[in-house]
Amino acid sequence: RLGVGDELRLMLIGKEQGDFPLIIDRDGSVTLPKLGRVILSGLSFPEAKTLIEKRVNQQLIGSEAILSMGLLRSINVFMAGELKNPGNYSISALSTLSQSIFIAGGIGETGTYRQIELKRKGKTIQSFDLYDLLLFGDNSGDARLQSGDVVFIPPAGPQASISGKVLRPAIYEFTEGETIGGLIDMAGGIVAEGNPQQT
């Protein structure tokens, strides 16, 4: 979603020509050349693009608008808990939970990968399992951050070691209800020469 401080670039071609930076100001709007003010704050980029192109087509006959993203605003996020470098960070407004963890140096040796908490206005609004992303490529829980959010990494939960004929032998953190089969899945499964009957 677009917000105050985001920059768009408008290129007009045809009867009217020019390249114009559009910065969303405090009231959430931008000033279009020869067209006046348009409120964009809260819209997605595709919605803003459709709105501006429609306005240009209707009011600047013979001209065409091409809209692109410019510089993005920064947001302030506090990184707390079992991180290598906890603290306050100014990051891109497009950053997600996993990206903020990377910026803070990663999770410390005692931190959880399974119960990462996103706190907004004092309430935990989402719990993110980083294993979903790292082991299975599922980024559906990797939420977009907002200014003022707190990303909290609690201490790690129970852990189990798996070795032998599996793809990724290591120590894995597990959550309540997970089985040996789930642990084998996290380790990438049993390799061809492994014997599952002797697990």
mmCIF file of all heavy atoms in Angstrom, residues 32-60:
data_model
loop_
_atom_site.group_PDB
_atom_site.id
_atom_site.type_symbol
_atom_site.label_atom_id
_atom_site.label_comp_id
_atom_site.label_asym_id
_atom_site.label_seq_id
_atom_site.Cartn_x
_atom_site.Cartn_y
_atom_site.Cartn_z
ATOM 1 N N LEU A 32 -0.827 16.229 -9.878
ATOM 2 C CA LEU A 32 -0.565 15.853 -11.265
ATOM 3 C C LEU A 32 -0.452 17.112 -12.117
ATOM 4 O O LEU A 32 -1.256 18.044 -11.960
ATOM 5 C CB LEU A 32 -1.702 14.986 -11.807
ATOM 6 C CG LEU A 32 -1.945 13.650 -11.104
ATOM 7 C CD1 LEU A 32 -3.139 12.950 -11.732
ATOM 8 C CD2 LEU A 32 -0.725 12.758 -11.163
ATOM 9 N N PRO A 33 0.536 17.167 -13.023
ATOM 10 C CA PRO A 33 0.676 18.350 -13.877
ATOM 11 C C PRO A 33 -0.586 18.582 -14.718
ATOM 12 O O PRO A 33 -1.061 17.678 -15.387
ATOM 13 C CB PRO A 33 1.897 18.022 -14.752
ATOM 14 C CG PRO A 33 2.057 16.540 -14.659
ATOM 15 C CD PRO A 33 1.526 16.132 -13.326
ATOM 16 N N LYS A 34 -1.145 19.810 -14.615
ATOM 17 C CA LYS A 34 -2.336 20.256 -15.363
ATOM 18 C C LYS A 34 -3.629 19.551 -14.951
ATOM 19 O O LYS A 34 -4.673 19.781 -15.535
ATOM 20 C CB LYS A 34 -2.135 20.107 -16.869
ATOM 21 C CG LYS A 34 -0.982 20.935 -17.408
ATOM 22 C CD LYS A 34 -0.980 20.950 -18.907
ATOM 23 C CE LYS A 34 0.156 21.870 -19.402
ATOM 24 N NZ LYS A 34 0.150 22.002 -20.860
ATOM 25 N N LEU A 35 -3.539 18.670 -13.937
ATOM 26 C CA LEU A 35 -4.735 17.921 -13.536
ATOM 27 C C LEU A 35 -5.109 18.123 -12.068
ATOM 28 O O LEU A 35 -6.198 17.732 -11.656
ATOM 29 C CB LEU A 35 -4.537 16.424 -13.807
ATOM 30 C CG LEU A 35 -4.383 16.017 -15.266
ATOM 31 C CD1 LEU A 35 -4.086 14.527 -15.366
ATOM 32 C CD2 LEU A 35 -5.635 16.352 -16.054
ATOM 33 N N GLY A 36 -4.232 18.672 -11.276
ATOM 34 C CA GLY A 36 -4.539 18.908 -9.863
ATOM 35 C C GLY A 36 -4.183 17.734 -8.971
ATOM 36 O O GLY A 36 -3.400 16.861 -9.331
ATOM 37 N N ARG A 37 -4.817 17.712 -7.802
ATOM 38 C CA ARG A 37 -4.448 16.758 -6.756
ATOM 39 C C ARG A 37 -5.267 15.469 -6.854
ATOM 40 O O ARG A 37 -6.455 15.493 -7.173
ATOM 41 C CB ARG A 37 -4.624 17.397 -5.383
ATOM 42 C CG ARG A 37 -3.750 18.636 -5.222
ATOM 43 C CD ARG A 37 -3.863 19.246 -3.849
ATOM 44 N NE ARG A 37 -3.146 18.486 -2.830
ATOM 45 C CZ ARG A 37 -1.829 18.456 -2.712
ATOM 46 N NH1 ARG A 37 -1.058 19.124 -3.551
ATOM 47 N NH2 ARG A 37 -1.242 17.756 -1.753
ATOM 48 N N VAL A 38 -4.589 14.363 -6.547
ATOM 49 C CA VAL A 38 -5.227 13.046 -6.509
ATOM 50 C C VAL A 38 -4.762 12.332 -5.244
ATOM 51 O O VAL A 38 -3.560 12.286 -4.959
ATOM 52 C CB VAL A 38 -4.845 12.193 -7.746
ATOM 53 C CG1 VAL A 38 -5.481 10.818 -7.652
ATOM 54 C CG2 VAL A 38 -5.263 12.882 -9.023
ATOM 55 N N ILE A 39 -5.698 11.789 -4.474
ATOM 56 C CA ILE A 39 -5.350 11.060 -3.249
ATOM 57 C C ILE A 39 -4.960 9.623 -3.606
ATOM 58 O O ILE A 39 -5.734 8.892 -4.238
ATOM 59 C CB ILE A 39 -6.521 11.072 -2.253
ATOM 60 C CG1 ILE A 39 -6.777 12.508 -1.783
ATOM 61 C CG2 ILE A 39 -6.225 10.169 -1.053
ATOM 62 C CD1 ILE A 39 -7.965 12.657 -0.866
ATOM 63 N N LEU A 40 -3.741 9.242 -3.198
ATOM 64 C CA LEU A 40 -3.218 7.906 -3.506
ATOM 65 C C LEU A 40 -2.908 7.078 -2.268
ATOM 66 O O LEU A 40 -2.759 5.861 -2.365
ATOM 67 C CB LEU A 40 -1.948 8.013 -4.354
ATOM 68 C CG LEU A 40 -2.075 8.677 -5.729
ATOM 69 C CD1 LEU A 40 -0.728 8.692 -6.420
ATOM 70 C CD2 LEU A 40 -3.117 7.980 -6.588
ATOM 71 N N SER A 41 -2.776 7.724 -1.113
ATOM 72 C CA SER A 41 -2.414 6.998 0.108
ATOM 73 C C SER A 41 -3.442 5.911 0.407
ATOM 74 O O SER A 41 -4.650 6.139 0.353
ATOM 75 C CB SER A 41 -2.331 7.968 1.285
ATOM 76 O OG SER A 41 -1.907 7.294 2.451
ATOM 77 N N GLY A 42 -2.960 4.710 0.697
ATOM 78 C CA GLY A 42 -3.831 3.582 0.987
ATOM 79 C C GLY A 42 -4.123 2.706 -0.211
ATOM 80 O O GLY A 42 -4.610 1.582 -0.060
ATOM 81 N N LEU A 43 -3.834 3.215 -1.410
ATOM 82 C CA LEU A 43 -4.053 2.412 -2.620
ATOM 83 C C LEU A 43 -2.852 1.511 -2.878
ATOM 84 O O LEU A 43 -1.725 1.835 -2.512
ATOM 85 C CB LEU A 43 -4.269 3.313 -3.835
ATOM 86 C CG LEU A 43 -5.458 4.278 -3.828
ATOM 87 C CD1 LEU A 43 -5.489 5.078 -5.124
ATOM 88 C CD2 LEU A 43 -6.769 3.536 -3.626
ATOM 89 N N SER A 44 -3.088 0.398 -3.547
ATOM 90 C CA SER A 44 -1.970 -0.407 -4.049
ATOM 91 C C SER A 44 -1.411 0.293 -5.284
ATOM 92 O O SER A 44 -2.078 1.148 -5.878
ATOM 93 C CB SER A 44 -2.439 -1.819 -4.404
ATOM 94 O OG SER A 44 -3.322 -1.772 -5.511
ATOM 95 N N PHE A 45 -0.205 -0.086 -5.689
ATOM 96 C CA PHE A 45 0.375 0.538 -6.879
ATOM 97 C C PHE A 45 -0.495 0.295 -8.125
ATOM 98 O O PHE A 45 -0.741 1.230 -8.884
ATOM 99 C CB PHE A 45 1.805 0.045 -7.119
ATOM 100 C CG PHE A 45 2.405 0.582 -8.385
ATOM 101 C CD1 PHE A 45 2.770 1.916 -8.496
ATOM 102 C CD2 PHE A 45 2.566 -0.245 -9.492
ATOM 103 C CE1 PHE A 45 3.295 2.418 -9.673
ATOM 104 C CE2 PHE A 45 3.089 0.253 -10.675
ATOM 105 C CZ PHE A 45 3.460 1.587 -10.757
ATOM 106 N N PRO A 46 -1.005 -0.937 -8.365
ATOM 107 C CA PRO A 46 -1.872 -1.122 -9.544
ATOM 108 C C PRO A 46 -3.124 -0.244 -9.508
ATOM 109 O O PRO A 46 -3.566 0.254 -10.544
ATOM 110 C CB PRO A 46 -2.227 -2.610 -9.490
ATOM 111 C CG PRO A 46 -1.105 -3.237 -8.742
ATOM 112 C CD PRO A 46 -0.702 -2.224 -7.720
ATOM 113 N N GLU A 47 -3.706 -0.055 -8.314
ATOM 114 C CA GLU A 47 -4.885 0.803 -8.203
ATOM 115 C C GLU A 47 -4.541 2.251 -8.539
ATOM 116 O O GLU A 47 -5.288 2.936 -9.255
ATOM 117 C CB GLU A 47 -5.471 0.717 -6.788
ATOM 118 C CG GLU A 47 -6.119 -0.620 -6.481
ATOM 119 C CD GLU A 47 -6.453 -0.809 -5.017
ATOM 120 O OE1 GLU A 47 -5.902 -0.076 -4.171
ATOM 121 O OE2 GLU A 47 -7.271 -1.693 -4.701
ATOM 122 N N ALA A 48 -3.380 2.735 -8.021
ATOM 123 C CA ALA A 48 -2.952 4.109 -8.310
ATOM 124 C C ALA A 48 -2.662 4.274 -9.800
ATOM 125 O O ALA A 48 -3.012 5.297 -10.404
ATOM 126 C CB ALA A 48 -1.707 4.447 -7.485
ATOM 127 N N LYS A 49 -2.055 3.274 -10.403
ATOM 128 C CA LYS A 49 -1.730 3.324 -11.835
ATOM 129 C C LYS A 49 -3.003 3.439 -12.674
ATOM 130 O O LYS A 49 -3.093 4.276 -13.581
ATOM 131 C CB LYS A 49 -0.940 2.065 -12.205
ATOM 132 C CG LYS A 49 -0.372 2.029 -13.609
ATOM 133 C CD LYS A 49 0.517 0.803 -13.764
ATOM 134 C CE LYS A 49 1.239 0.786 -15.082
ATOM 135 N NZ LYS A 49 0.365 0.614 -16.237
ATOM 136 N N THR A 50 -4.000 2.621 -12.356
ATOM 137 C CA THR A 50 -5.274 2.664 -13.081
ATOM 138 C C THR A 50 -5.958 4.021 -12.917
ATOM 139 O O THR A 50 -6.463 4.602 -13.888
ATOM 140 C CB THR A 50 -6.205 1.539 -12.583
ATOM 141 O OG1 THR A 50 -5.571 0.277 -12.811
ATOM 142 C CG2 THR A 50 -7.539 1.581 -13.296
ATOM 143 N N LEU A 51 -5.955 4.550 -11.694
ATOM 144 C CA LEU A 51 -6.606 5.834 -11.416
ATOM 145 C C LEU A 51 -5.961 6.968 -12.201
ATOM 146 O O LEU A 51 -6.654 7.774 -12.839
ATOM 147 C CB LEU A 51 -6.536 6.125 -9.910
ATOM 148 C CG LEU A 51 -7.115 7.463 -9.444
ATOM 149 C CD1 LEU A 51 -8.610 7.524 -9.693
ATOM 150 C CD2 LEU A 51 -6.816 7.683 -7.961
ATOM 151 N N ILE A 52 -4.642 7.041 -12.187
ATOM 152 C CA ILE A 52 -3.944 8.136 -12.875
ATOM 153 C C ILE A 52 -4.071 7.998 -14.382
ATOM 154 O O ILE A 52 -4.313 8.983 -15.092
ATOM 155 C CB ILE A 52 -2.469 8.187 -12.432
ATOM 156 C CG1 ILE A 52 -2.397 8.677 -10.980
ATOM 157 C CG2 ILE A 52 -1.656 9.096 -13.344
ATOM 158 C CD1 ILE A 52 -1.007 8.685 -10.381
ATOM 159 N N GLU A 53 -3.930 6.783 -14.907
ATOM 160 C CA GLU A 53 -4.062 6.593 -16.357
ATOM 161 C C GLU A 53 -5.464 6.979 -16.837
ATOM 162 O O GLU A 53 -5.621 7.612 -17.881
ATOM 163 C CB GLU A 53 -3.743 5.140 -16.723
ATOM 164 C CG GLU A 53 -2.259 4.808 -16.608
ATOM 165 C CD GLU A 53 -1.967 3.344 -16.862
ATOM 166 O OE1 GLU A 53 -2.931 2.537 -16.945
ATOM 167 O OE2 GLU A 53 -0.777 2.989 -16.980
ATOM 168 N N LYS A 54 -6.479 6.629 -16.061
ATOM 169 C CA LYS A 54 -7.853 6.976 -16.425
ATOM 170 C C LYS A 54 -8.045 8.492 -16.423
ATOM 171 O O LYS A 54 -8.660 9.059 -17.329
ATOM 172 C CB LYS A 54 -8.817 6.315 -15.436
ATOM 173 C CG LYS A 54 -10.282 6.528 -15.763
ATOM 174 C CD LYS A 54 -11.157 5.776 -14.773
ATOM 175 C CE LYS A 54 -12.624 6.006 -15.074
ATOM 176 N NZ LYS A 54 -13.507 5.310 -14.092
ATOM 177 N N ARG A 55 -7.472 9.147 -15.407
ATOM 178 C CA ARG A 55 -7.620 10.610 -15.308
ATOM 179 C C ARG A 55 -6.934 11.311 -16.478
ATOM 180 O O ARG A 55 -7.467 12.258 -17.061
ATOM 181 C CB ARG A 55 -7.017 11.084 -13.981
ATOM 182 C CG ARG A 55 -7.194 12.530 -13.682
ATOM 183 C CD ARG A 55 -8.079 12.719 -12.474
ATOM 184 N NE ARG A 55 -8.130 14.125 -12.122
ATOM 185 C CZ ARG A 55 -8.033 14.607 -10.914
ATOM 186 N NH1 ARG A 55 -7.898 13.779 -9.893
ATOM 187 N NH2 ARG A 55 -8.106 15.892 -10.669
ATOM 188 N N VAL A 56 -5.740 10.848 -16.836
ATOM 189 C CA VAL A 56 -5.019 11.448 -17.958
ATOM 190 C C VAL A 56 -5.792 11.229 -19.261
ATOM 191 O O VAL A 56 -5.958 12.153 -20.068
ATOM 192 C CB VAL A 56 -3.587 10.871 -18.063
ATOM 193 C CG1 VAL A 56 -2.937 11.249 -19.387
ATOM 194 C CG2 VAL A 56 -2.735 11.364 -16.900
ATOM 195 N N ASN A 57 -6.295 10.026 -19.477
ATOM 196 C CA ASN A 57 -7.032 9.727 -20.704
ATOM 197 C C ASN A 57 -8.294 10.576 -20.845
ATOM 198 O O ASN A 57 -8.673 10.972 -21.949
ATOM 199 C CB ASN A 57 -7.406 8.237 -20.750
ATOM 200 C CG ASN A 57 -6.194 7.344 -20.987
ATOM 201 O OD1 ASN A 57 -5.169 7.797 -21.492
ATOM 202 N ND2 ASN A 57 -6.309 6.090 -20.606
ATOM 203 N N GLN A 58 -8.940 10.869 -19.712
ATOM 204 C CA GLN A 58 -10.182 11.635 -19.745
ATOM 205 C C GLN A 58 -9.959 13.133 -19.906
ATOM 206 O O GLN A 58 -10.757 13.815 -20.558
ATOM 207 C CB GLN A 58 -10.995 11.370 -18.468
ATOM 208 C CG GLN A 58 -11.603 9.978 -18.398
ATOM 209 C CD GLN A 58 -12.296 9.719 -17.073
ATOM 210 O OE1 GLN A 58 -12.104 10.446 -16.095
ATOM 211 N NE2 GLN A 58 -13.122 8.676 -17.037
ATOM 212 N N GLN A 59 -8.876 13.657 -19.294
ATOM 213 C CA GLN A 59 -8.714 15.105 -19.209
ATOM 214 C C GLN A 59 -7.583 15.662 -20.064
ATOM 215 O O GLN A 59 -7.537 16.865 -20.314
ATOM 216 C CB GLN A 59 -8.521 15.526 -17.744
ATOM 217 C CG GLN A 59 -9.734 15.169 -16.887
ATOM 218 C CD GLN A 59 -9.588 15.634 -15.461
ATOM 219 O OE1 GLN A 59 -8.865 16.574 -15.171
ATOM 220 N NE2 GLN A 59 -10.289 14.979 -14.550
ATOM 221 N N LEU A 60 -6.659 14.825 -20.467
ATOM 222 C CA LEU A 60 -5.583 15.280 -21.354
ATOM 223 C C LEU A 60 -5.695 14.496 -22.663
ATOM 224 O O LEU A 60 -4.908 13.572 -22.922
ATOM 225 C CB LEU A 60 -4.206 15.085 -20.708
ATOM 226 C CG LEU A 60 -3.880 15.947 -19.487
ATOM 227 C CD1 LEU A 60 -2.506 15.608 -18.938
ATOM 228 C CD2 LEU A 60 -3.960 17.431 -19.809
#
